[in-house]
Amino acid sequence: MSMTLTLLGTGTPAPSARRAGSSYLVRFDGRTLLFDCGPGAYSRLLQTQALPGDISHLFLTHLHYDHCADYGVFELVRWDQAAGNGAELEVVGPGGTRQMTERLFGADGAFAADIAARTRHPASREIFERRGGRGVRRAPAPRVTEWEDGLVYEGDTWRVRAAPMVHCEPYLHSLAYRLETPFGTVVFGADTAPNSRLTGLARNADVLVHMCHFLNGPGVDPRMSASCSGHLDAAVTAREADVRKLVLVHLAPEMDAPGNQERVRMEAAAAFSGPIIVGEDLLTIAVADGKRPAISRRTAHQR
Ligand SMILES: [Zn+2]
């Protein structure tokens, strides 16, 4: 049994046909988890032959739109197609996630008219029943867990730890996530400047997925380097955390200019000796092969 990571979106807020907004799909042992859901993620998900209903949990690193703008369409399709069957989506994110969810799907939310029509109109009722729906149709109601210090989110055979990053406080809060499964460990570094909490969270992970928003060098504005990571920041974090593999994402269009990916690979390799993958949308990466010992279960917060 193996564990795979599929990069759905490896871009930034810059419009790009090549790179959708941040989003990553993790699959292991019949489970499918989604980390971030930036613009274009829903379309990329369909390109993998997966469906929103395959996904049980969505983890949001932060509420910049390039990481969450497709949350609306993702959840609406998931809810609509399920027709009342199956579990509600579990959503984990920083403070503000519950408010965003309510403002999207709540009674006074952005999609209130759509949801009212789909739950009450006779034609929608016919579609609902054709999809297997029975009884009163309920509105979408994702179950939101907002991160708090010390939270360990427990799945059935897996768990997720998080740590607050250094990004755009106090306006929004960014979380890095560490997913531990019997098949491997992957860390999503989120959007952040390098910091010791990320290095600690990523310690000995099989894969670190980290932002490579710019090319480190003297020309970088300190306001940028104080809130985001460049290629050498990612490589040094990977080295200090002793991860096995580094996956670079959140790639600005300049990264795709001639010669820049080569520079990224060469300079990052001087700082980190493990495999370095410059991300592309729809690339699937083996996190680790084979089954590991089961993770110990010291439950701080069970769901
Ligand atoms: Zn951000």
Side-chain angles (χ1 to χ4, degrees), residues 160-212:
V160 171
R161 302 175 187 276
M165 294 292 104
V166 179
H167 191 39
C168 291
E169 302 73 28
Y171 306 103
L172 52 70
H173 299 280
S174 185
L175 296 173
Y177 290 112
R178 177 186 179 98
L179 168 63
E180 299 174 344
T181 82
F183 308 94
T185 296
V186 58
V187 172
F188 297 92
D191 286 7
T192 184
N195 68 88
S196 59
R197 285 192 298 272
L198 176 59
T199 308
L201 191 73
R203 182 78 58 205
N204 296 325
D206 291 297
V207 175
L208 170 62
V209 181
H210 198 39
M211 77 182 313
C212 176

Side-chain angles (χ1 to χ4, degrees), residues 13 62-64 66-67 167-168 172 174 191-192 211 227-228 250:
H62 64 301
L63 302 184
H64 264 149
D66 57 312
H67 294 253
H167 191 39
C168 291
L172 52 70
S174 185
D191 286 7
T192 184
M211 77 182 313
S227 64
C228 292
H250 209 284

Side-chain angles (χ1 to χ4, degrees), residues 7-303:
L7 310 179
L8 298 183
T10 59
T12 68
S16 170
R18 176 171 172 171
R19 301 187 185 279
S22 294
S23 189
Y24 318 104
L25 193 68
V26 180
R27 290 184 268 207
F28 57 96
D29 198 21
R31 289 142 181 93
T32 308
L33 313 179
L34 187 64
F35 289 78
D36 279 342
C37 197
Y42 168 67
S43 175
R44 290 285 193 255
L45 178 71
L46 300 185
Q47 288 177 270
T48 71
Q49 311 299 319
L51 294 169
D54 298 337
I55 293 163
S56 58
H57 292 70
L58 168 62
F59 292 84
L60 296 173
T61 62
H62 64 301
L63 302 184
H64 264 149
Y65 75 80
D66 57 312
H67 294 253
C68 63
D70 267 15
Y71 176 26
V73 66
F74 169 77
E75 167 58 10
L76 288 168
V77 172
R78 190 183 184 282
W79 162 78
D80 196 23
Q81 294 292 314
N85 300 303
E88 295 283 1
L89 179 69
E90 301 281 348
V91 181
V92 182
T97 302
R98 184 169 287 111
Q99 184 184 72
M100 173 177 277
T101 299
E102 183 63 26
R103 288 179 175 179
L104 285 169
F105 313 117
D108 297 316
F111 293 100
D114 177 285
I115 293 166
R118 281 182 209 282
T119 51
R120 299 175 197 167
H121 191 275
S124 295
R125 179 77 201 178
E126 191 274 333
I127 295 169
F128 173 68
E129 291 174 359
R130 196 149 32 87
R131 290 178 179 151
R134 295 289 178 269
V136 176
R137 186 170 202 192
R138 292 176 291 108
R143 288 155 49 97
V144 175
T145 301
E146 290 190 343
W147 185 80
E148 57 195 67
D149 194 22
L151 173 70
V152 179
Y153 190 95
E154 297 278 356
D156 53 356
T157 62
W158 51 272
R159 70 179 169 212
V160 171
R161 302 175 187 276
M165 294 292 104
V166 179
H167 191 39
C168 291
E169 302 73 28
Y171 306 103
L172 52 70
H173 299 280
S174 185
L175 296 173
Y177 290 112
R178 177 186 179 98
L179 168 63
E180 299 174 344
T181 82
F183 308 94
T185 296
V186 58
V187 172
F188 297 92
D191 286 7
T192 184
N195 68 88
S196 59
R197 285 192 298 272
L198 176 59
T199 308
L201 191 73
R203 182 78 58 205
N204 296 325
D206 291 297
V207 175
L208 170 62
V209 181
H210 198 39
M211 77 182 313
C212 176
H213 192 51
F214 54 83
L215 293 163
N216 288 100
V220 178
D221 190 306
R223 292 172 294 184
M224 177 58 66
S225 56
S227 64
C228 292
S229 292
H231 68 313
L232 298 182
D233 298 323
V236 169
T237 299
R239 182 185 70 213
E240 292 182 345
D242 203 16
V243 305
R244 291 186 177 82
K245 191 182 294 181
L246 173 63
V247 179
L248 298 174
V249 295
H250 209 284
L251 299 156
E254 66 170 318
M255 295 296 173
D256 296 323
N260 277 350
Q261 283 203 13
E262 291 78 1
R263 180 181 160 193
V264 165
R265 288 177 208 278
M266 188 176 68
E267 294 182 356
F272 173 65
S273 59
I276 298 170
I277 296 171
V278 179
E280 292 288 346
D281 286 17
L282 297 175
L283 182 66
T284 292
I285 296 158
V287 172
D289 298 319
K291 187 164 181 172
R292 310 285 186 83
I295 57 175
S296 62
R297 304 191 66 77
R298 284 165 297 167
T299 304
H301 188 101
Q302 185 121 21
R303 175 80 57 180

